[in-house]
Amino acid sequence: MPAEILTVHARLGALERQTQGSFGLHIWGSAITEETAWDNPLTACDEDWFGLTFQVRLSRDVPKEASSPALGLLLHKGEDKRIQVELSPSQVPEVGSSIWIGLGEMLTREPDVAEVPVGDLSTNGARGHWLSTQFIAWRAASIAPQGSRFLLHASASACSVDATRATDCGGYVKADTETALGAERGTFSLQDAGASGVSGDGPEGPWELTLAQSDLTPALATAHPYLKGCALLSVPQEVDARDLCRRQLALSMLGPDGKSLDCTGIQLGPLLDDVFGYSGPLGCHPQHGDKTLGVELMLWAPTAISVHVCLFEDALGPMKEMKSMHRRLHTADDGVWRVSGPPSWWGEYYTYRVQCFHPSMGRFLTADTPDPYSHACSADALRTLMCHLPSWYDVVPNQDRTAWLSQLPPPLSCRANAAIYELHVRDFSACDESVSPQLRGKYLAFELLGTNGDVHLRKLASAGITHVQLLPTYDFGTVPERASDRTEQNIPSDAGPDSEEQQQAAMAVADHDSFNWGYDPVLYNVPEGSYATDPDGGARILEHRRMIAALHAKGLRVVLDVVYNHTLASGATGTQSVLDKCVPAYYHRRSENGTYEASTCMNNTASERFMMERLILESIMHWVVEYRVDGFRFDLMGHITLKCMRRIRDSLDSLTLEEHGIDGTKILLYGEGWEFGEVAHEQRGLVAVQQQLGGTSIGAFNDRIRDSALGGSPFVDPRIQGFCTGLALRSWPSVADVEQGDAQHQLRELRSAQDRLRICLVASLKGYCLPVTHDGQEQVRGDQLQQGGLAYTAEPEESVNYVSAHDNETLFDNTAWKMPPSLFSPQERMRGSWMATSLVALAHGLPFFHAGDELLRSKSLDRDSYNSGDWFNLLDFTGRRSAFGTGLPTKAKNGDKWDLMRPLLRDASVRPTPEMVAATTAKFCELVQLRNSTRLIGLTDASDVLEKVDFPHCGPQQMPGVIVMQICNGPPARGGSSNSLLCDHFARVVIVFSSCLEAVRVPIPAVKASLRGGKLPMKLHPIQANSADAPTREASVLNDSSELHIPPQTASVFVEPLQD
């Protein structure tokens, strides 16, 4: 169809254009000829007094039945999103016309200058930043014309702290209903009146601000790097920041002629920390520490003008009473609202009714919320239950708190000896027919003895798995907690292996069934209710505790997956917004212009804020003390400040067996250290990304080993091969159109991947030197290899080695993508997955395995099964059922790959057989047993790794598909005598990882004179000599004892005994 031009004028003030950099227009929909990529939007072709001008190429004939939106427009700069418009087919303007956007409604005529606000106050922008009682930062002020004036505006007081309306309650104040209602009706609001300035000031204002300096002070620049270049405006001493925090605030700039040049709202986060940072008790507590005296409720809400507590007798009944909460007066004001109640309140439910200004809505609103410090709640977190966990014996296993607290977890010599198995609570039993139906998918399924899951977990623990990491078990909002509110999947059983019907049926109930990964936090300190037999009251607490005790009894410690980087909801509406109803726009990280950051997926939290950091720290300690948790995996940990994570590590380390019954030094702390979004390049200060974690004793997932082993990354063609999946050894034919380069390029990439894997095998230690690289460089440190950034750790425990996790494709599905049946046999594909597992199991650092790695688990190629339900997330510990070929995975996440998936899913030879699953489970246990058999595999001290590990046969002539790692015995580098040895059995261990598709011979490496080894003949490790896998048993030392024979696609472990 012929294409024509639609001219789009997007509002962006002149000062913003000068200070905020280049914005682009992202376009999408059926009405345009070509959608833009997010990172490559349309650039402006012109600008005028209104803003930026773009030319959008429209189809002349817009499809009448086009899905909405037919035209989408989004003005943005990276994640800074300013204006978004979505038009249905009937709303798309005619070709050749012009539209103006950014004033609320789309206009089809050029507006008059007098109609247009000068700033972004009317669209809830907030480019002012009140950093301390002394300074407000504003970038626009840095380019203000000579002679400009700056004003601080505050709405008329909607807070009853006004002397004329205050009700003094013995040093406290309670809200005045008349004034509060006036606030909600908009009586107290500021308006952008265009060139005439801001209207709606209270009687005290506005206040004149003086330009203190054109940039931040060094201290403020360190605290707020993303605001560098902002001018500082000095706040007059007479301004009462405590009072103004509870009003709507704005900045304006007046030019020399007195006309308004710009105006915007003000962000208060740093000021609230400065004025109202609070370390006292919050939530529900016994009065004066004694339950018999009654209850005290405390909510930190410094911007609120009124707070009430609403009381309910039970989880579903009507409100029986509403009581005003009180706040201290004047300088004693700590931002906390308090109310006391009689002992009869214990066991009742409550919510807070908070009235305050909501910047995202531009007005005062009243919202009901559960207590953010809840320890128990009703179903779906609608109400908080008044309780005191230390004295609530009904939620303690066997109602004996002393006995329960005295039970210790399975022994662990040190954190670096952990081996982690990631598991979803529902996956564990949802499809297990050996579990009674009422307990499938529940916490209590872990207590049952003799079930398929119980037998399997005990087998893994016996092999050497030390920890089970559970996907989120805090209260999340994406599964209805009452069974009556859920609708389970009904998948057509007769649909074909590549049919769309299964995913259609799954998606029809996806938001109403029992499954979700749960990365959608609502209440951080309450267990999820859908996993409990009763979502109301204390059952979820008791059953979560019993689950942890049951896993301990199986010999497994427990790691919880925690998500403090975002919340499910924000704003004043909706039942799942909590923190943002209490203190709007404080707990969440905002962009410089005031929008809520969403780089994590939604509603990013701001751990740089004092009270958010406090909430995270206290939440972690709550789970350790009250649930006996043994570790934490932080989702998107790179969005949490490094200071916060280090405080957590220090707090955990302070726990002792003598004082707390807990050895905090054994508690694991690791997470996703990815660097992206608004925190990248230290824009929000130091955050817990990989490159900052060396020496912190905090681990980060090592994506280098995953990508080098499997090939590519989760963000490219899934068919790209790696070390384990045939790169350069059996490559895709050119007709497959897989962009891997020619044969020589692939060979170089394979050798480069082998170098990367060598560094990964030594826990990605920054200080480890490769003797020679594939391109001939000598003595290259890990943190300098391949343009730097490869290695990031100072100790082995800081590298969490993995090749698969709940995110992205399973290990089996990755091998199915990369090792197609046209090139590889089922056995070769299976051994490819074994090779990937062996790299994780036998590397130094923490091994991490996804539940089902050992079962050839498939999700029918689903790359993101977070909401795909039980059908695609099938986990069968018997090995009889596989989800491979059970239909095309969900369209939203996988539809762009459906055409490539169809032939794979149709091919029955790809589907793993029960025999293959049994062999894989045996191989998995063998590999973990090998790791457990000697301290030389999985060294726990960096000094030992640097001294005792080497990689023979590397360099430009290294054998493609082969990595040799030698670990020699010797005295511990730290903490041992010169006569002691790390291992009592072996002088050295040599591990040969061969992904070659034929057997190879490898020379036996020499040994440094300073280390043990080289005196006696080597032999195959006894565990492998008795392997259930015949090819593994074929590995051998050749007769002349100078070479090792390595079977195809095998990790062979050879040992040299110690001399007597």
Side-chain angles (χ1 to χ4, degrees), residues 278-293:
Y278 172 75
S279 300
L282 290 170
C284 176
H285 294 272
Q287 287 190 39
H288 307 295
D290 186 347
K291 281 187 67 175
T292 64
L293 298 178

Side-chain angles (χ1 to χ4, degrees), residues 1-113:
M1 290 184 290
E4 299 291 347
I5 298 299
L6 170 68
T7 302
V8 178
H9 301 271
R11 175 61 182 159
L12 196 65
L15 290 177
E16 282 196 85
R17 278 176 264 157
Q18 293 181 57
T19 59
Q20 299 296 318
S22 56
F23 279 77
L25 191 68
H26 177 52
I27 60 173
W28 70 97
S30 55
I32 61 174
T33 57
E34 185 178 0
E35 297 185 353
T36 58
W38 178 254
D39 57 357
N40 189 27
L42 280 181
T43 56
C45 63
D46 199 2
E47 59 180 88
D48 58 17
W49 70 270
F50 184 81
L52 302 174
T53 303
F54 300 89
Q55 292 190 336
V56 178
R57 298 181 67 83
L58 287 183
S59 299
R60 182 178 292 276
D61 299 313
V62 178
K64 300 298 183 185
E65 303 300 323
S67 59
S68 185
L71 176 60
L73 307 169
L74 176 58
L75 184 72
H76 76 103
K77 181 183 67 174
E79 294 300 321
D80 185 355
K81 305 169 188 175
R82 292 301 180 90
I83 304 169
Q84 183 166 345
V85 175
E86 295 184 349
L87 303 177
S88 66
S90 62
Q91 294 173 316
V92 176
E94 295 182 359
V95 296
S97 61
S98 298
I99 59 173
W100 285 258
I101 61 175
L103 298 179
E105 295 183 1
M106 181 186 75
L107 301 178
T108 55
R109 62 165 179 83
E110 183 172 359
D112 294 335
V113 174

Side-chain angles (χ1 to χ4, degrees), residues 247-259:
R247 308 197 200 182
Q248 181 189 9
L249 302 177
L251 291 173
S252 71
M253 180 194 306
L254 305 181
D257 59 359
K259 292 183 179 180

Side-chain angles (χ1 to χ4, degrees), residues 90 125 188 254 269 335 347 364 396 453 496 529 551 582 608 694 726-727 746 766 915 946 948 967 973 1000 1054:
S90 62
F188 310 102
L254 305 181
F364 287 88
V396 177
L551 285 165
C582 299
E608 60 269 26
L727 178 65
Q746 290 189 43
K766 292 187 288 187
E915 293 75 20
L946 297 176
K948 299 176 175 66
I967 312 105
V1000 297
F1054 296 89

